[in-house]
Amino acid sequence: MAAGSLTALCLLLAAANAAAEATSSYIVHVAPAHALPAPRRGLLSAGAYGSFLRAHVPADVSSPAPTVHYSYAHAATGFAARLTGRQAAHLASQRSVLGVVPSVAERPHTTLTPSFLGLSPAAGLLPASNGATDVVIGVLDSGVYPVGRASFSADPSLPPVPGRFRGGCVATPSFNASAYCNTKLVGAKFFYRGYEQETGRPIDERVMSKSPLDTDGHGTHTASTAAGSAATGAGFFDYARGNAVGVAPGARIAAYKVCWNNTCTSDDILAGFEAAIADGVDVISISLGSTNGAQPFHLDTTAIGAFRAVRKGIVVSASAGNNGPRETTAVNIAPWFLTVAASTVNRQFPVDVLLGNGQTFTGTSLNTGTPLGATKLPLVYGGFVGTQFCEAGKLNATMVAGKIVLCESSNNARTAKGEAVRIAGGVGLILASFDLYREQAMTDAHVLPAASVTFVDAVKIANYIATDGSPAATIASGGTAIGRSAPPYPRMASFSSRGPSRHAPEILKPDITAPGVDILAAWTGANSPSHVSTDTRRVEYNVIAGTSMSCPHVSGVAALLRQARPEWSPAAIKSAMMTTAYNVDSAGGVIGDMSTGKASTPFARGAGHVDPNGAADPGLVYDADAEDYITFLCAIGYDAKQVALFTGDGSVTDCSTRSGSGVGDLNYPAFSAVFGPGKRAVTQRRVVRNVGGNVWATYKVRITAPDGVRVTVSPGTLRFRPWRKTQEYKVTLELQENLPDKHTFGAIEWSDGQHKVKSPIAITWPPATGKIAQL
């Protein structure tokens, strides 16, 4: 048994000893020889593996009786079941079972952005792809709210739904499928059994709709960002007014509701993948992930489902996570994911904080209702009146009434702080951003006049409160500002999760960045824009931020490319985006990082900012398929049993036959290497395919070497011919000197005079102390 499998079994046994009769939800991966065949159409019945489970759990550990709530054949091979620790451990020890993995709870992680991306109906990728009318995007999220939402209306010009799509809409008392679904919204399904197993009780339908209907807002926002129909007069009250349209306005949307009350369980997510693959979607957009860091690939059920999808030719675009700016926080990092970071656009919602001493600090917020006015009001610090974090019920109402309160950021929701201030009688909120966020303050739809300011500005405001005998302030909103010369854009969001990859640092992650800050898109009518329960406002559009917002932008671009270049694989589509991404901001400098105030690195922005029109004609692509990913899994040390979790077929992978390839030899459009004691040189191999119009093209390389590293590319010239469309080359990276920094970066660029095919280089070595970085 492999060390990883033995460790997993030991963990299951330990759990069994700790709580023998407690039950939890597990995903059981069945060996191919014992698997149920995938139906030619549709899905296995939920309890299809019931007899397998009964046959493999002996009587002495069968109490309480285990139950199956999902069966998988497309996204995985096996089932999800409610088991005790002893039952799970027993199943894991069976030859007919490849692995038993606990289901974990994951979390969900625009009018302007299509034009910001350079998409125009007049020229470029948008008309070349016909808006992706022949493409279906499957959105795994919190559902969809189509009621009265123009973003999900059927454009009369849309042709019939692609015949290969086999999905549809599930009707419930709260979801009128015949009224809500059309040639735009072509699928709507929901998966809730995992959530009910997680909570131990049925869904409360007074709070959430047990249907595809989105009562949160997140899924509606992401779906409309990717492929929403054009809508005139969109905006959040008077903010961001204009015409809203998705990145791929002709693409069809299939919504798979897998998130409930901000919780998305592994078994529900896998069920969503199962349905999306069976339905025949072309792109899967998944804006959710672990909040506890990336899991090893064989324990990451989302990665397994994504592998099965990519093997079917489906592009899987996933959010990198919102746990930045610390290193190794990126999730959804398996190389078959298209992993998306978040950055800003050229639009802001400025709010000024005017202090009694004449100082002014500009923050951000979406203030609605009656403004405070020019008269300055008493200003207090939350820490002096009950709680610096402005937690509900902890503010002294006598000391807060009629005042503006300065609050610090913490784990309680930002908008909940404003609600706590309002309940205590306060009239305004100044919210300090996290110190780690440095230049970024978060925009929210607060329930009272508010301003979010950077940590540095908050410290200055706090000093004023502490030193002035009668501190006072007011808050003045500045509306919507577009195209301001300062600061430059795009900039990497501080919250955007960073690389290097926790489990395969030789694969650069994230892959790319896209708009993810203050994005306007459709919203549910069943929830307020603030997520505060007492907020009675209901809006058709909302402005929110996160890699959840950047991911569907890239999903939309993938849909456009899928139709414009139908012969391209998911890896080729990712390659086209990465090698044509740009790394220069509006001021001509390297894309900045709001968490440092300096230039960002590829561990923040990946290969750069997506450029849809450039991706339509990349010149060269780096391709890869399931066999390449299997070789990668062998290279990181997986055995045949672990690889079978991903492949799910009856073949046995003999990794010894693939031993000639290293982890860094995966045909990826980027280079990443880790040096250490005794390892000062690395060679990585790549193959590129000419997809440009000139079949006789000659490409020459240009190298920007990372500091302290010699880069050699051989050969330095690639000559293509009609009969020789692919060329191989190798890159050797040699450490020349020990430098105090842990990382350094460079790039290589192939050019034929028309195309520039760029790949970043990331180097990691031990810091000056001589200790190897823990990746």
Side-chain angles (χ1 to χ4, degrees), residues 280-321:
V281 304
D282 303 289
V283 176
I284 289 177
S285 185
I286 183 163
S287 291
L288 53 88
S290 171
T291 57
N292 297 316
Q295 300 301 306
F297 303 131
H298 67 292
L299 300 179
D300 184 349
T301 53
T302 303
I304 292 173
F307 180 96
R308 300 288 186 92
V310 168
R311 189 171 61 175
K312 293 284 190 180
I314 302 169
V315 180
V316 181
S317 171
S319 51

Side-chain angles (χ1 to χ4, degrees), residues 439-471:
E439 294 183 353
Q440 182 167 29
M442 302 299 294
T443 304
D444 292 293
H446 288 281
V447 296
L448 79 175
S452 296
V453 297
T454 65
F455 182 82
V456 171
D457 285 349
V459 169
K460 295 175 182 177
I461 295 171
N463 287 335
Y464 164 68
I465 294 172
T467 57
D468 192 284
S470 300

Side-chain angles (χ1 to χ4, degrees), residues 110-112 114 148-153 155 184 224 227-235 240-246 249 520-522 540-541:
T110 86
T111 54
L112 178 74
R149 298 298 182 262
S151 297
F152 305 106
S153 62
D155 186 329
K184 165 57 70 173
S224 62
S229 298
T232 60
R241 304 298 302 184
N243 297 328
V245 64
L520 179 87
E540 292 189 23
Y541 300 89

Side-chain angles (χ1 to χ4, degrees), residues 407-487:
C407 305
E408 296 182 33
S409 289
S410 62
N411 290 332
N412 62 318
R414 297 185 299 270
T415 52
K417 297 175 188 292
E419 174 67 352
V421 170
R422 188 191 66 79
I423 290 174
V427 295
L429 167 72
I430 301 173
L431 178 58
S433 185
F434 289 110
D435 187 11
L436 281 173
Y437 281 13
R438 190 161 175 165
E439 294 183 353
Q440 182 167 29
M442 302 299 294
T443 304
D444 292 293
H446 288 281
V447 296
L448 79 175
S452 296
V453 297
T454 65
F455 182 82
V456 171
D457 285 349
V459 169
K460 295 175 182 177
I461 295 171
N463 287 335
Y464 164 68
I465 294 172
T467 57
D468 192 284
S470 300
T474 191
I475 297 170
S477 297
T480 303
I482 297 176
R484 302 176 82 185
S485 58

